[in-house]
Amino acid sequence: MQTHDIRNRFLDHFKASGHTLVPSASLILDDPNLLFVNAGMVQFKPYFLGDEPPPYPRATSVQKCVRTGDIDEVGKTTRHNTFFQMAGNFSFGDYFKAGAIEHAWQLVTGSQADGGYGFDPERIWVTVYKTDDEAIELWRKIAGLPDERIQRRGGEDNYWDMGVPGPGGPCSEIYYDRGPEYGKEGGPVADEDRYLEIWNLVFMQDERGELSPKKDHPPIGELPAKNIDTGLGIERVAFLLQDVHNVYETDLVRPVITKAEEMSGHRYGTDPVDDVRFRVIADHARSGVMLIGDGVTPGNEARGYVLRRLLRRIVRSVRLLGVHEPVLPEFAAVVRDTMGPAYPELVSQFDRIESVVRNEEDTFLTTLTSGSKIFDLAATETKDSGGRVLAGDKAFQLHDTYGFPIDLTLEMASEQGLSVDEDGFRRLMAEQRRRSKEDAASRKVGHGDGGVYRAVLDKHGVTDFLGYRDLTSEATVVGLLSGGEPAVAAGVGSEVEVVLNRTPFYAEGGGQLADTGRIVGDGFVVEVHDVQSPVAGLNVHRGKVVSGEVTLDATANAEVDPTRRRAVSRSHSATHLVHAGVRRALGTQAAQAGSLNAPGRLRFDFTSPGGAVPASVLADVEDEVNDVLLNDYDVRAEVVTLDEARKQGAIAFFGEKYGDKVRVITIGDYSKELCGGTHVHRSGEIGVVKLLSEASIGAGVRRVEALVGLDAFRFLAREHVLVAQLAEQFKVPADELPERIGQTVERLRAAEKELEKLRGAQLLSSAGTLADQAEDVNGTALVAVATPDGIGGNDLRALAAEVRNRLGARPGVVALFSADGPKVSFVVATTSVARDQGLAAGKLVPSFSPAIGGRGGGKPDLAQGGGGNPAGVPDAVVALRRTLADGTT
């Protein structure tokens, strides 16, 4: 049976039984606890936790999953995979253990002619959680399994959670006996190679905390409803039904190995060492293509690093099989052809996927060639000297200079019988981070390793910056990185870093954002979106190749976007003026602590031990700054010695390190600062500065934000129109608006308080009527009704308490519901007589809260909560009435 047929049979089986078909979620979901989606239930997690009401009572899906904890074991065994498909059926407070077991048994043992998998029921074994007597009895009753094929196991094996706080529960696993040729007798507890797990039925009922019940720690609570979450391994079922020995020989995985055989001339199954490489290629190719299809790109952190590692392990494995030409695009095409019928996005997005793997392979081949030579030399020297440990500085050199990931060095060392001084490596890495702390922010350091940038600097010298006087210049490409690695060329769509021997582009620094623009050469165009200086003296242009192919040593024209440059320069000059104005107003203790100069706006941070700056002071600063603009002062830039700059009274700040020569920006006689940024020629070019806000951003540090130039003009124009409209509405002159608005707000607040009192009194007046309408349910007076919409929690509690008091000495339960848009709140109160009979408010909540898609709890006398399904209130009332009638609390 083909894998796609196995997948479709699963979905068809559950669709026929009323399950909603839900497409696979992306491998990347917004869950801070997960790097990638690793189970079918992840996209349904909010429903299990009760954070969101489920849109359907039961669902089914086949979810793409990636688990990366065992990357190093992939290939060494046939059991480990990073990518797999998990088929699942889910119940959200609908059916529970009996339904899950019945559905699974029908599909697993049903005949293939009727849409089942046709497994021999006499070869099915199950395990259950050690205390789950109910599950054991259900397996006996539903499946007719004898006791000897039902085995109890502890939490490590038969309790499921995601490995992080969240939903979980005891589980029951279904195993298939492959026969005595695969291992010893005795069921799954004796041999899990012979008895292969194919399906895990999780009885999702608990919420785990930081400590897992798998380790016998108790759950921190119960989920709002009892749910079902199951996971069937599509690939495992495939190799059983296709009568092959493992996943790597199934119809969707073997074609990748076949392609590797064609390329290398080696044959899978003839050499154990080669077999490991074949399996690495097959597994990682599928994982890599699926990750790229969902938007992951190779990088040096988090998801991008995992993808990069997978792709590079493929390349290295192929090279060890004797193939030295590029291979990733061909493997990607095989994955597209095999997986495309189930995931058509792999076909529609293949051009992008192919481009990503091609660029990553090109950059890595350069790294691998140079780095492998260095590694081989270091390994030989280590062994010749009788050592068995590769020095930490050698591993650091490979990482820092050649971009070798440490895990690759560890892998290569292991193959030569060596270990690596990892502590020494990490110590050197820590020293490097300390040395480069000033530009350690990820955006500034960029994707390449520091050694790559330094190599360009050592070979070609510092970048000649022409941007103070020119916005265009001829230049030569002296450095090129693609995917964070050195490259000789990069084609259309590539994200690149370009180093020019000379440039008009300003690199971000001193609070000023970088220039943007284009690098245009013979047959290529690079759109520049950022410029950074990862090592002193080197400007690195980051952008995307939008046309042709950029190559190392190419001649080009560098063109800065003049509109953006002028806008940023206006903001930067305005920041100097705001700085000077704040110091004049508050004194020299108002030292600059940060800034941002962007098109049309600025942000200025400064120390202010005295706390908030009065609005009147800010108004004075704004007036003074705009007076400077009106006077249209000359803006001068000069390079002088640091001593001369200090003598002139130029402001230096941030504790920055300055060289012997510094650049001083002077605006009339108002401002003089050390600055390497770009500025206007005259203060009048700024136009106008409008201070918008002043606030604290930390202990003793304040932040002023402002608009500059046309953005400020537009803001003032909008503000003028708004004030005019308000003056017309209130029928007062504009300067009287604050007083009139304040008076109006006070009257509204007083009216709202009076209305709240009246509403509360009116609400409480209905308590007697509600109490008189109490119905007798099994000897208990029950008041369960929907009150008017929009009643707040305090009022709802007060009303419930008043109704309870009106019930007198009777055993009574009061349950009040109030809808508010898409949500509903509830309060449950019990009389003392009812509590004496065992009716606790908090324990009654689970009996009806699933009907409104919610949760809640409280004490025996009073409980409250909410949900997301107001339409379910009638059902909740019925459920509560049934609970009291049955006496099941």
Side-chain angles (χ1 to χ4, degrees):
M1 186 181 297
Q2 298 297 294
T3 303
H4 291 311
D5 187 19
I6 294 170
R7 181 179 186 275
N8 292 335
R9 283 172 182 254
F10 187 95
L11 297 176
D12 290 343
H13 174 79
F14 285 100
K15 283 191 294 184
S17 59
H19 291 68
T20 298
L21 175 59
V22 180
S24 172
S26 167
L27 285 164
I28 309 167
L29 287 185
D30 186 19
D31 189 322
N33 293 312
L34 294 175
L35 197 62
F36 302 112
V37 168
N38 63 359
M41 60 74 61
V42 173
Q43 67 170 312
F44 304 113
K45 185 177 174 183
Y47 310 150
F48 289 130
L49 287 173
D51 295 335
E52 297 178 18
Y56 25 68
R58 51 178 72 178
T60 186
S61 71
V62 176
Q63 174 65 48
K64 300 175 287 188
C65 298
V66 168
R67 294 181 182 175
T68 59
D70 293 319
I71 286 180
D72 292 330
E73 295 305 311
V74 170
K76 297 177 183 177
T77 73
T78 59
R79 293 187 296 109
H80 291 90
N81 299 102
T82 53
F83 173 82
F84 58 97
Q85 300 176 87
M86 182 177 289
N89 57 291
F90 309 90
S91 165
F92 311 108
D94 189 358
Y95 60 82
F96 197 47
K97 292 182 183 179
I101 291 172
E102 185 170 4
H103 282 307
W105 186 253
Q106 289 174 353
L107 179 60
V108 168
T109 62
S111 71
Q112 294 188 7
D114 293 330
Y117 290 144
F119 284 105
D120 182 356
E122 298 302 315
R123 301 176 71 172
I124 299 295
W125 292 62
V126 300
T127 61
V128 299
Y129 187 56
K130 56 187 178 182
T131 60
D132 197 348
D133 295 332
E134 180 186 6
I136 291 177
E137 185 57 33
L138 288 170
W139 279 114
R140 291 171 179 156
K141 179 180 177 181
I142 295 171
L145 286 178
D147 289 345
E148 60 265 26
R149 285 196 275 135
I150 305 173
Q151 298 185 321
R152 298 178 188 263
R153 304 188 83 168
E156 282 289 342
D157 297 294
N158 276 73
Y159 190 98
W160 189 93
D161 59 47
M162 296 172 60
V164 294
C171 60
S172 182
E173 296 175 328
I174 302 175
Y175 290 77
Y176 180 77
D177 181 4
R178 300 168 69 194
E181 63 270 30
Y182 291 98
K184 57 187 177 182
E185 298 278 350
V189 299
D191 190 333
E192 286 199 1
D193 282 328
R194 171 176 170 175
Y195 302 88
L196 186 75
E197 178 197 345
I198 58 174
W199 205 340
N200 186 13
L201 314 180
V202 182
F203 310 130
M204 193 79 71
Q205 60 192 44
D206 302 325
E207 183 173 358
R208 66 152 277 186
E210 291 296 329
L211 301 176
S212 174
K214 293 174 73 70
K215 304 288 187 179
D216 292 326
H217 297 286
I220 62 173
E222 294 183 356
L223 295 176
K226 292 183 177 181
N227 312 291
I228 288 298
D229 155 38
T230 82
L232 173 139
I234 292 288
E235 285 81 0
R236 287 195 176 187
V237 173
F239 88 70
L240 290 174
L241 293 182
Q242 292 174 19
D243 196 27
V244 293
H245 293 89
N246 55 63
V247 168
Y248 292 95
E249 298 175 18
T250 57
D251 60 319
L252 299 188
V253 185
R254 186 59 169 84
V256 181
I257 294 178
T258 301
K259 173 59 70 174
E261 289 176 322
E262 294 172 0
M263 292 177 172
S264 66
H266 293 242
R267 289 292 173 265
Y268 180 67
T270 60
D271 183 301
V273 175
D274 283 350
D275 287 352
V276 171
R277 295 162 185 160
F278 280 119
R279 288 192 288 266
V280 167
I281 294 166
D283 174 85
H284 291 2
R286 291 214 311 164
S287 300
V289 169
M290 300 305 291
L291 287 172
I292 297 169
D294 279 352
V296 183
T297 56
N300 289 337
E301 293 182 0
R303 297 181 177 109
Y305 178 75
V306 173
L307 174 59
R308 170 163 286 170
R309 187 178 177 193
L310 292 170
L311 296 180
R312 292 186 170 189
R313 290 191 86 206
I314 297 172
V315 175
R316 186 163 177 273
S317 296
V318 171
R319 284 174 69 90
L320 291 173
L321 289 172
V323 182
H324 294 273
E325 63 267 24
V327 297
L328 289 184
E330 294 196 53
F331 289 138
V334 175
V335 175
R336 173 201 61 196
D337 295 341
T338 56
M339 301 298 291
Y343 305 100
E345 65 270 20
L346 299 181
V347 179
S348 62
Q349 299 183 31
F350 187 72
D351 288 346
R352 178 181 62 84
I353 295 170
E354 183 183 41
S355 176
V356 170
V357 298
R358 188 185 302 279
N359 290 336
E360 180 64 17
E361 183 167 23
D362 288 345
T363 56
F364 183 52
L365 286 175
T366 302
T367 296
L368 192 60
T369 299
S370 54
S372 294
K373 293 177 182 177
I374 301 300
F375 173 83
D376 290 339
L377 179 61
T380 300
E381 291 176 351
T382 300
K383 289 190 285 189
D384 287 349
S385 65
R388 308 303 301 171
V389 180
L390 189 71
D393 61 344
K394 295 295 185 183
F396 178 79
Q397 179 190 16
L398 284 164
H399 178 277
D400 189 53
T401 305
Y402 298 95
F404 249 47
I406 182 60
D407 54 84
L408 179 57
T409 301
L410 291 168
E411 187 172 309
M412 293 173 66
S414 176
E415 291 172 354
Q416 295 208 25
L418 300 174
S419 59
V420 177
D421 177 13
E422 293 184 63
D423 290 338
F425 169 81
R426 293 190 179 93
R427 184 170 58 252
L428 290 168
M429 286 292 294
E431 291 175 4
Q432 183 196 58
R433 293 190 188 99
R434 177 180 53 77
R435 289 194 302 268
S436 60
K437 186 176 181 180
E438 62 196 60
D439 50 21
S442 60
R443 221 173 71 80
K444 186 166 180 64
V445 171
H447 300 294
D449 293 293
V452 176
Y453 302 123
R454 283 192 291 274
V456 176
L457 185 65
D458 292 343
K459 183 175 181 180
H460 298 283
V462 299
T463 305
D464 184 10
F465 177 61
L466 311 174
Y468 293 136
R469 63 179 186 274
D470 298 321
L471 293 183
T472 62
S473 70
E474 292 185 354
T476 301
V477 178
V478 297
L480 181 63
L481 286 79
S482 179
E485 302 294 345
V488 295
V492 173
S494 301
E495 295 287 341
V496 294
E497 296 180 76
V498 180
V499 182
L500 304 174
N501 65 329
R502 58 208 307 258
T503 182
F505 283 85
Y506 180 81
E508 180 179 349
Q512 179 174 327
L513 295 184
D515 284 329
T516 62
R518 305 193 310 165
I519 299 173
V520 181
D522 184 12
F524 72 86
V525 176
V526 176
E527 290 282 358
V528 177
H529 58 70
D530 188 23
V531 187
Q532 297 290 330
S533 181
V535 293
L538 200 70
N539 283 25
V540 178
H541 308 73
R542 296 181 182 155
K544 184 175 184 178
V545 183
V546 296
S547 160
E549 181 181 63
V550 58
T551 60
L552 199 61
D553 300 324
T555 301
N557 285 320
E559 304 171 354
V560 171
D561 178 349
T563 301
R564 175 185 169 86
R565 163 66 80 82
R566 285 192 292 267
V568 173
S569 295
R570 285 193 292 268
S571 294
H572 200 160
S573 298
T575 299
H576 281 221
L577 296 177
V578 171
H579 185 190
V582 169
R583 286 171 67 91
R584 284 170 180 256
L586 302 179
T588 57
Q589 75 271 17
Q592 181 168 337
S595 67
L596 173 70
N597 308 302
R601 62 187 177 91
L602 67 86
R603 188 178 70 211
F604 176 69
D605 303 337
F606 59 95
T607 56
S608 179
V613 181
S616 60
V617 173
L618 286 178
D620 290 343
V621 170
E622 182 178 285
D623 283 347
E624 194 170 275
V625 167
N626 281 296
D627 188 57
V628 172
L629 307 187
L630 187 63
N631 289 326
D632 197 23
Y633 290 130
D634 184 37
V635 179
R636 303 188 313 274
E638 58 180 334
V639 177
V640 299
T641 65
L642 183 58
D643 287 342
E644 178 60 26
R646 287 171 174 161
K647 290 177 183 178
Q648 293 179 11
I651 300 173
F653 46 88
F654 276 101
E656 288 189 2
K657 296 179 180 179
Y658 297 101
D660 293 335
K661 295 286 187 176
V662 293
R663 185 167 180 262
V664 178
I665 300 297
T666 304
I667 305 177
D669 58 359
Y670 190 78
S671 168
K672 189 182 291 288
E673 285 189 24
L674 273 61
C675 180
T678 65
H679 292 269
V680 297
H681 298 292
R682 302 192 65 82
S683 64
E685 296 175 25
I686 296 172
V688 68
V689 173
K690 176 59 185 174
L691 301 185
L692 297 178
S693 64
E694 187 271 351
S696 171
I697 60 169
V701 181
R702 312 294 298 183
R703 169 171 292 172
V704 169
E705 301 201 44
L707 295 177
V708 179
L710 188 58
D711 289 81
F713 280 120
R714 288 169 175 161
F715 174 83
L716 291 171
R718 290 194 300 270
E719 192 174 61
H720 172 74
V721 171
L722 177 61
V723 170
Q725 290 173 341
L726 289 172
E728 175 66 23
Q729 290 289 329
F730 283 94
K731 305 300 182 184
V732 296
D735 58 357
E736 295 180 14
L737 272 174
E739 182 180 0
R740 177 59 61 88
I741 291 174
Q743 293 171 351
T744 303
V745 169
E746 284 301 317
R747 287 198 300 269
L748 286 173
R749 286 174 178 166
E752 286 175 353
K753 289 181 180 178
E754 187 63 27
L755 285 172
E756 191 67 27
K757 290 180 181 178
L758 291 173
R759 184 178 182 182
Q762 183 180 21
L763 193 63
L764 290 177
S765 69
S766 66
T769 301
L770 292 175
D772 292 341
Q773 295 174 352
E775 59 179 310
D776 185 279
V777 180
N778 197 18
T780 299
L782 172 64
V783 178
V785 297
T787 64
D789 293 351
I791 296 178
N794 291 334
D795 288 340
L796 203 61
R797 285 193 297 273
L799 179 59
E802 182 63 22
V803 174
R804 177 179 59 189
N805 293 339
R806 298 294 183 97
L807 294 177
R810 290 180 289 173
V813 174
V814 180
L816 305 181
F817 302 83
S818 178
D820 186 4
K823 297 182 179 180
V824 59
S825 301
F826 65 80
V827 172
V828 181
T830 56
T831 64
S832 60
V833 178
R835 293 194 294 275
D836 291 342
Q837 296 179 0
L839 293 175
K843 292 184 178 179
L844 289 171
V845 170
S847 69
F848 65 81
S849 57
I852 58 172
R855 59 195 301 183
K859 298 178 180 179
D861 63 327
L862 188 71
Q864 61 186 21
N869 180 25
V873 170
D875 292 336
V877 172
V878 171
L880 179 56
R881 185 183 295 118
R882 184 187 308 118
T883 297
L884 295 177
D886 294 343
T888 56
T889 59

